Amino acid sequence: MRVVCTTPWNATPAARQRADQLSRWFTCPRVPRRNRSIDTLLQEERAEGVIVAESSPVLYHATCVDKPLFFHPGMAKTRLAALRRGNGDRLLRLAEVRPGDVVLDGTLGLGTDSLVFAHAVGAHGRVLAVESSWWLARLFQYAQTHTSGQPAWLCELLSRIEVHVAPHLHLLRQLPDRSVDVVYFDPMFRSPVRTATTQVEPIRPWADVSALTPEVVREAQRVTRRCVIVKERPTSGEFQRLGLQPDKPRGTFAYGVWRKESGDGALG
Ligand SMILES: C[S@@+](CC[C@H](N)C(=O)[O-])C[C@H]1O[C@@H](n2cnc3c(N)ncnc32)[C@H](O)[C@@H]1O
């Protein structure tokens, strides 16, 4: 995918410097803004995506220019606030995450689940997060390394996440048997979530949309000490295909859980 990097409308010297830095960070060509709209810029530069050097990177994809993508911990913040109120978290409950655990998040994306895991494993735990999309992995790593102005709680959680830029199968194959407590996957849903306001999720054009394979699930079952969890739509057919039992029969999404002790749903 051809992606270029540029300044915001107001190309101040600081914005120019940020654009230069981002072009190196994402290893993509730096182009002048010249007062061009994002649409015009994409056309004239024959690019599918453009990264704008706002105070932090903002990614526009040609297929959804009106839905830019940027790192934001919003959903993690909401879930952590619910935890503080004592409401619990469905994913943490299913995964039985405890302080000191090692969690492998096989699909980092914007890092919401990884941040929630990072909170639950605490200062002595670890989150290994894998992302095969270069753009998404670098976006998250940018947030991890440019923390000025971020609240202390977020910096602390970001620092507990170890990002691997690779397909999850590569990392799983390198890990010994029973070397992590939980393996979690939240692959892109087979069909995009559409609402009246979103034509397509902003992450989708930047993401690896490949489906989980039985080999990946088998490797995850080998590597985990406790469980493998997959998030999917209950009616997608993915749970049946992968031999996993969803925790809910209906709803926007369900978690398919395989536990080491029982071996429920193990693939042959
Ligand atoms: C739905 S998003 C994950 C969202 C994430 N759970 C969060 O809380 O922000 C799925 C992510 O998995 C990544 N992905 C898909 N296949 C992958 C693979 N084989 N290895 C690593 N990452 C993969 C996609 O690029 C995408 O970023």
Side-chain angles (χ1 to χ4, degrees):
M1 154 157 60
R2 178 169 156 78
V3 177
V4 296
C5 174
T6 194
T7 59
W9 285 113
N10 188 8
T12 59
R16 286 202 187 93
Q17 217 176 27
R18 279 200 306 274
D20 290 342
Q21 191 230 346
L22 280 187
S23 109
R24 288 191 296 274
W25 184 264
F26 285 97
T27 54
C28 63
R30 159 87 156 87
V31 298
R33 182 68 186 251
R34 287 202 218 101
N35 285 330
R36 291 179 287 181
S37 70
I38 297 294
D39 278 321
T40 306
L41 201 138
L42 286 165
Q43 267 179 22
E44 290 183 358
E45 299 293 340
R46 295 174 193 281
E48 282 166 82
V50 57
I51 300 173
V52 179
E54 303 284 357
S55 52
S56 55
V58 181
L59 281 61
Y60 293 85
H61 194 273
T63 55
C64 55
V65 165
D66 56 335
K67 296 270 170 241
L69 181 70
F70 48 91
F71 171 77
H72 55 90
M75 268 313 292
K77 206 171 156 184
T78 307
R79 283 168 65 186
L80 295 177
L83 275 172
R84 269 195 300 276
R85 288 195 303 272
N87 290 348
D89 183 273
R90 185 171 154 203
L91 177 56
L92 294 182
R93 204 169 34 242
L94 284 170
E96 297 170 9
V97 181
R98 315 188 250 274
D101 273 357
V102 180
V103 174
L104 194 161
D105 179 352
T107 48
L108 170 70
L110 288 183
T112 302
D113 290 317
S114 276
L115 285 166
V116 173
F117 284 132
H119 164 82
V121 299
H124 301 294
R126 283 168 75 207
V127 178
L128 310 177
V130 198
E131 176 54 62
S132 53
S133 156
W134 166 255
W135 310 108
L136 295 172
R138 292 301 275 168
L139 186 63
F140 188 83
Q141 288 177 318
Y142 189 91
Q144 283 185 303
T145 48
H146 297 76
T147 51
S148 82
Q150 300 281 27
W153 67 266
L154 180 59
C155 300
E156 172 64 29
L157 296 187
L158 285 168
S159 73
R160 288 181 201 161
I161 302 171
E162 181 183 313
V163 175
H164 295 255
V165 190
H168 38 233
L169 186 57
H170 283 204
L171 181 67
L172 284 166
R173 279 186 179 146
Q174 289 167 24
L175 294 174
D177 295 2
R178 294 177 173 268
S179 53
V180 307
D181 294 287
V182 175
V183 183
Y184 171 67
F185 300 104
D186 172 17
M188 297 302 292
F189 289 159
R190 299 294 78 215
S191 53
V193 173
R194 289 177 195 282
T195 66
T197 49
T198 33
Q199 280 300 299
V200 65
E201 306 128 288
I203 194 178
R204 184 166 284 268
W206 302 95
D208 179 344
V209 295
S210 52
L212 277 190
T213 63
E215 187 189 3
V216 166
V217 179
R218 268 196 303 271
E219 279 294 292
Q221 290 170 338
R222 178 184 65 75
V223 156
T224 190
R225 285 189 279 267
R226 187 181 307 145
C227 63
V228 177
I229 301 193
V230 176
K231 182 177 173 185
E232 249 303 337
R233 290 198 200 233
T235 53
S236 66
E238 286 297 277
F239 289 125
Q240 291 92 313
R241 183 178 72 81
L242 296 167
L244 298 166
Q245 190 61 39
D247 69 331
K248 287 188 175 183
R250 275 177 291 279
T252 325
F253 67 88
Y255 294 112
V257 187
W258 178 89
R259 294 192 192 279
K260 195 114 200 180
E261 299 80 27
S262 65
D264 280 351
L267 295 172

